[in-house]
Amino acid sequence: MINWNFPSNNYGQVTGLNDAGIETFKGNPWNSLAREINQNSCDARVSGSVEPVRVEFEIQELPASAFPRKEVFINVLNQSLDYWKENAKTVSFFEQALNIMQSEMITFLKISDYNTTGLTGADQGHHGGWHNLIKSVGSSNKDSKSGGSFGIGKHAPFACSDLRTVFYSTKDQDGIEAFQGVAKLVTHYNEQGEPTQGTGYYGQKEKNEPILNKEEINEFFRREEIGTDIFIAGFNAEKDWETKVIRSVLESFFVAILDQKLIVKVGETEINAETIPSILSQYTKGEPDCLSFSYYEAYTLSNTSKFVKDNFESLGEIRMYILPGKDAPKRVAMVRSTGMKIYDKGSFRTPFKFSGVLIAEGDEINEFLRKIEPPTHTAWEAERHDDPNYAKGIIKKLYGWMNEQIRSITLGDAAEELDVEGLSDYLPDKGEDFNSAPALAEEEGEKSEPKEIELQVNYRQSKPNTVNIISEGDIQGYNKEQEMEKSDLDSGMDLDINNIDSFDNNIEQNNEEKEEEKKEDSDEQDPSEDNKSGEDNNNTGLEHSGEEKKLQPNIIKNLRITQSRIFCTDPTKGTYRMTLMSNEEGYGYVGVNIIGEVGGERAEVRSAKQFGEKVHIEDNVKIGPVRFDKNERTVITITLKEPLRCALEVAIYAN
């Protein structure tokens, strides 16, 4: 018997409207739909075929009377509405769904693919692609060259349906035709008065099997050629849906299209290897959120630098294309062998802008990367791997290789009119050696001839820490030295503090634990030791010790750095000069972190000076207290314990 069937839940789990799989794609349904559909079609490409997969998106209208077992489906909607009548969100959804079903025509989005195998296994029970698509949840049997690995992408079409209902029709290479509908609704009472599961099926009611007899399939849903049709019922056809889908295709599949692995037609717009340049220009050029035009140029222009690693970490080939340009986004599209972009990688420390494309070609590296992608396939996350430390190491080496190749491109290789990003950061202050301006930072741990180093400064606040007592005479001496330094300094560069980094949480925790230990031991220490005032730490203001007046430093609670300039003054010794300006007068602490693509670690500091005077360094990490004067420049010189060739991060702690 052919009908709708929502199996009983045997008085078990109740299913509401917030389906986790559908909610995964609700935030950006058009992008998710285009990515998941095209990825699945590419995965089903006929083995050995030189023809590209073709995917077509088309709006079609179906008379409501032809909707499969319309009256039964409407009854399900009414039962669901009654079951959830006290839930406002659910009531609103089912009222809208009933309005759609009671109209004369129902809008469908029909998505068809060609030069694919079709959905295999429709007649094989729980084996094959048909069962995986229709009935399985959270599972996938795709190989390393496929895009999906979670079996969650099948939920994307439901996020675009105001009926939460999708029909599937296929004809596979063996000539088997199959048709079935799936509705992801809610628990409700069936005709026997029993609560149901939330997911129901249209097809053979017994065992919820597909319809295999072509004559029992409505002509609207029949598939004539080998391949698969997906019909999204009650399609939420926003007026600009085509534009959104086209942009998603261009952003995610430009490599697959250019490599002639994929052709996509959206409405009347066909995107193929020949038309993609003009379509890119029409739909993405000048759009700040669309990077595919820059990637297209990097992948196709003759002056692009191409880098190939034949066997990266014994995982197979990787390729990268880099094109410098003054308007480039300074991003690399990270692409797997399917031709789909996973994400845009940034955070490159180079003095010039560029666009790039990296393609992981080898089977083993694709298998590795599949394991560390989230269900949306928009990132590579090492923590998802069975061995996170191994995965983190591979990703770190991949990023390191990318940085190394990009650094090998000299500015002379770039266009003559290339703008050097942040050029002022590389120019010295008055009186400084021009040759001390920092060059590109190396990956942490590299050993090579010392060169100038690029520094990034970031600021944050931390919990109060114990500070040393400094004499009033010392502070007056600092002020005098500061007046002498000011005459040698230029205007600094404004610092954007809206996007700041901080020390690793472990660093902060370790520092706080050590501070606590020092407080507990303070009563047992000799008050005559270095850096001890002999006074109670809770004292404020001026205190007399008999011979000398002591002053408790004014610790800045809301320190904000308004300007900063930093230079490596002696790379052979690991010495750096930091010129900072703050918005308040008082004292704070400075720390230095070695930063890399994956994580970071503390940089141990050998010595620090402010205006020629040594500054205390706690545990080889925490420098201070450092004197700041409001709107006046403070110069701090530090020397690392080791002249590391690395990028550094400086954090200002306001206590």
Side-chain angles (χ1 to χ4, degrees):
M1 178 182 176
I2 297 174
N3 207 338
W4 284 99
N5 181 42
F6 285 78
S8 170
N9 70 357
N10 197 25
Y11 294 91
Q13 180 174 310
V14 173
T15 303
L17 197 62
N18 295 325
D19 182 281
I22 298 174
E23 292 298 322
T24 300
F25 302 103
K26 268 288 189 181
N28 194 347
W30 310 108
N31 181 61
S32 301
L33 178 68
R35 284 173 62 87
E36 296 298 332
I37 291 293
N38 285 289
Q39 172 189 281
N40 290 336
S41 295
C42 288
D43 291 346
R45 183 179 183 178
V46 175
S47 178
S49 174
V50 296
E51 295 297 320
V53 169
R54 182 180 181 88
V55 180
E56 297 182 355
F57 294 75
E58 179 186 6
I59 291 285
Q60 291 191 358
E61 299 288 337
L62 176 72
S65 58
F67 189 92
R69 299 304 296 265
K70 172 187 173 184
E71 296 305 322
V72 175
F73 189 78
I74 289 178
N75 185 57
V76 169
L77 298 181
N78 281 315
Q79 291 286 358
S80 299
L81 180 61
D82 183 65
Y83 189 100
W84 295 86
K85 58 187 176 182
E86 296 181 358
N87 186 302
K89 178 181 177 181
T90 305
V91 168
S92 176
F93 170 82
F94 282 102
E95 287 179 344
Q96 182 182 6
L98 285 166
N99 288 334
I100 293 172
M101 292 302 299
Q102 291 165 357
S103 60
E104 293 185 3
M105 304 293 290
I106 297 177
T107 302
F108 281 77
L109 177 65
K110 180 183 178 182
I111 308 172
S112 306
D113 65 28
Y114 303 89
N115 196 35
T116 64
T117 61
L119 277 171
T120 60
D123 60 342
Q124 298 176 8
H126 66 279
H127 300 287
W130 183 271
H131 182 273
N132 283 332
L133 176 65
I134 304 298
K135 292 182 180 178
S136 69
V137 177
S139 65
S140 175
N141 62 353
K142 295 182 178 181
D143 60 26
S144 65
K145 295 181 180 180
S146 300
S149 57
F150 287 86
I152 295 177
K154 68 190 73 173
H155 292 84
F158 292 91
C160 300
S161 169
D162 285 339
L163 297 175
R164 297 276 284 267
T165 300
V166 177
F167 294 92
Y168 304 89
S169 183
T170 193
K171 183 175 182 178
D172 68 16
Q173 290 177 305
D174 296 326
I176 296 174
E177 297 181 46
F179 174 74
Q180 195 165 11
V182 180
K184 292 186 176 294
L185 300 177
V186 296
T187 293
H188 58 277
Y189 290 119
N190 59 21
E191 294 177 354
Q192 291 74 40
E194 299 175 337
T196 69
Q197 299 177 22
T199 300
Y201 305 92
Y202 175 79
Q204 298 290 348
K205 195 170 180 180
E206 184 179 359
K207 296 184 179 180
N208 296 310
E209 295 292 337
I211 301 171
L212 299 178
N213 184 355
K214 179 178 180 179
E215 301 304 320
E216 294 178 311
I217 304 173
N218 185 298
E219 290 185 3
F220 180 82
F221 298 108
R222 285 181 189 173
R223 176 75 189 200
E224 300 297 337
E225 300 179 48
I226 295 174
T228 301
D229 291 336
I230 297 177
F231 298 86
I232 301 176
F235 178 62
N236 184 5
E238 298 179 6
K239 64 179 181 179
D240 60 345
W241 75 269
E242 289 189 11
T243 297
K244 292 179 178 178
V245 171
I246 289 171
R247 284 180 176 166
S248 177
V249 170
L250 295 173
E251 286 294 296
S252 299
F253 294 95
F254 66 93
V255 170
I257 293 170
L258 289 167
D259 288 351
Q260 300 187 45
K261 295 179 180 179
L262 177 66
I263 295 174
V264 181
K265 185 178 181 181
V266 183
E268 298 300 320
T269 303
E270 181 173 304
I271 312 169
N272 57 44
E274 294 181 358
T275 63
I276 192 172
S278 61
I279 296 174
L280 278 167
S281 181
Q282 178 183 351
Y283 283 91
T284 68
K285 193 173 183 180
E287 292 291 333
D289 296 331
C290 297
L291 305 180
S292 50
F293 190 85
S294 294
Y295 294 149
Y296 160 76
E297 291 185 321
Y299 193 54
T300 60
L301 294 185
S302 59
N303 57 333
T304 294
S305 297
K306 180 180 178 180
F307 305 93
V308 179
K309 184 74 171 178
D310 292 332
N311 195 14
F312 174 76
E313 295 298 313
S314 300
L315 295 174
E317 180 183 306
I318 57 175
R319 292 179 282 126
M320 185 170 66
Y321 305 80
I322 298 296
L323 179 67
K326 64 179 181 180
D327 297 321
K330 206 172 184 181
R331 295 288 187 273
V332 173
M334 309 296 279
V335 181
R336 288 211 282 115
S337 61
T338 58
M340 184 176 80
K341 182 187 76 173
I342 305 302
Y343 67 102
D344 305 296
K345 187 195 179 311
S347 302
F348 291 97
R349 300 176 191 90
T350 64
F352 62 92
K353 293 183 178 181
F354 63 90
S355 56
V357 178
L358 179 128
I359 301 176
E361 198 67 48
D363 290 349
E364 289 81 6
I365 193 169
N366 273 273
E367 177 64 25
F368 164 78
L369 294 172
R370 284 177 73 245
K371 291 181 179 179
I372 61 175
E373 288 175 12
T376 53
H377 306 289
T378 54
W380 290 333
E381 300 168 348
E383 292 76 10
R384 294 180 176 274
H385 197 273
D386 295 338
D387 186 348
N389 289 331
Y390 166 76
K392 187 176 290 187
I394 294 296
I395 294 299
K396 185 175 181 179
K397 290 177 180 178
L398 175 62
Y399 290 166
W401 179 82
M402 294 171 65
N403 278 322
E404 182 181 356
Q405 311 315 311
I406 294 171
R407 286 197 300 267
S408 70
I409 302 175
T410 65
L411 290 179
D413 297 331
E416 293 182 1
E417 297 182 0
L418 181 66
D419 288 340
V420 180
E421 183 180 31
L423 181 60
S424 60
D425 294 346
Y426 295 85
L427 298 177
D429 282 323
K430 292 180 180 179
E432 292 182 325
D433 183 4
F434 182 84
N435 292 327
S436 67
L440 301 180
E442 298 288 340
E443 288 299 303
E444 61 177 311
E446 288 185 347
K447 301 298 182 181
S448 57
E449 291 299 318
K451 293 183 179 179
E452 291 77 19
I453 301 175
E454 177 187 66
L455 287 173
Q456 291 189 350
V457 185
N458 302 280
Y459 307 94
R460 73 160 206 187
Q461 295 182 350
S462 70
K463 295 180 180 180
N465 290 311
T466 305
V467 299
N468 298 319
I469 306 301
I470 301 178
S471 70
E472 185 178 19
D474 289 338
I475 294 176
Q476 291 174 350
Y478 283 3
N479 289 336
K480 183 175 180 181
E481 282 291 303
Q482 187 180 27
E483 289 297 321
M484 296 174 64
E485 286 283 350
K486 283 190 296 183
S487 62
D488 292 332
L489 298 176
D490 241 339
S491 327
M493 179 184 67
D494 287 339
L495 177 66
D496 181 4
I497 61 171
N498 293 322
N499 183 17
I500 62 176
D501 296 327
S502 63
F503 275 122
D504 187 276
N505 290 334
N506 292 332
I507 300 173
E508 179 180 359
Q509 181 179 352
N510 291 340
N511 284 346
E512 290 177 2
E513 290 175 353
K514 291 176 181 177
E515 288 296 327
E516 195 65 33
E517 293 173 0
K518 291 189 177 183
K519 289 179 182 178
E520 293 175 356
D521 295 337
S522 61
D523 292 338
E524 302 177 5
Q525 295 178 355
D526 188 342
S528 64
E529 290 178 2
D530 292 342
N531 296 323
K532 301 299 179 183
S533 66
E535 303 294 337
D536 192 322
N537 285 338
N538 293 325
N539 288 348
T540 58
L542 298 177
E543 298 291 344
H544 293 278
S545 63
E547 297 180 0
E548 183 179 28
K549 186 184 295 182
K550 302 291 183 182
L551 178 67
Q552 173 70 44
N554 174 30
I555 304 303
I556 308 174
K557 295 181 179 179
N558 297 304
L559 176 66
R560 181 168 62 86
I561 302 301
T562 58
Q563 293 183 2
S564 69
R565 303 192 75 176
I566 304 176
F567 296 98
C568 178
T569 58
D570 191 341
T572 62
K573 296 180 180 179
T575 302
Y576 307 91
R577 179 180 179 183
M578 304 183 293
T579 304
L580 309 173
M581 287 183 64
S582 71
N583 63 323
E584 297 292 342
E585 179 176 323
Y587 291 84
Y589 289 84
V590 178
V592 184
N593 235 20
I594 299 172
I595 57 177
E597 293 295 342
V598 181
E601 63 182 65
R602 290 172 289 179
E604 293 190 342
V605 180
R606 181 187 305 276
S607 64
K609 291 184 179 181
Q610 184 180 19
F611 310 125
E613 298 290 335
K614 288 185 177 180
V615 181
H616 176 68
I617 304 173
E618 187 174 302
D619 300 322
N620 298 321
V621 174
K622 191 174 182 181
I623 306 166
V626 173
R627 170 73 184 184
F628 291 94
D629 279 313
K630 183 177 181 180
N631 296 328
E632 299 292 343
R633 291 179 178 79
T634 295
V635 177
I636 307 167
T637 301
I638 63 171
T639 301
L640 303 182
K641 270 200 167 185
E642 301 291 337
L644 299 176
R645 185 173 172 78
C646 59
L648 297 179
E649 175 183 60
V650 180
I652 303 297
Y653 283 78
N655 297 290

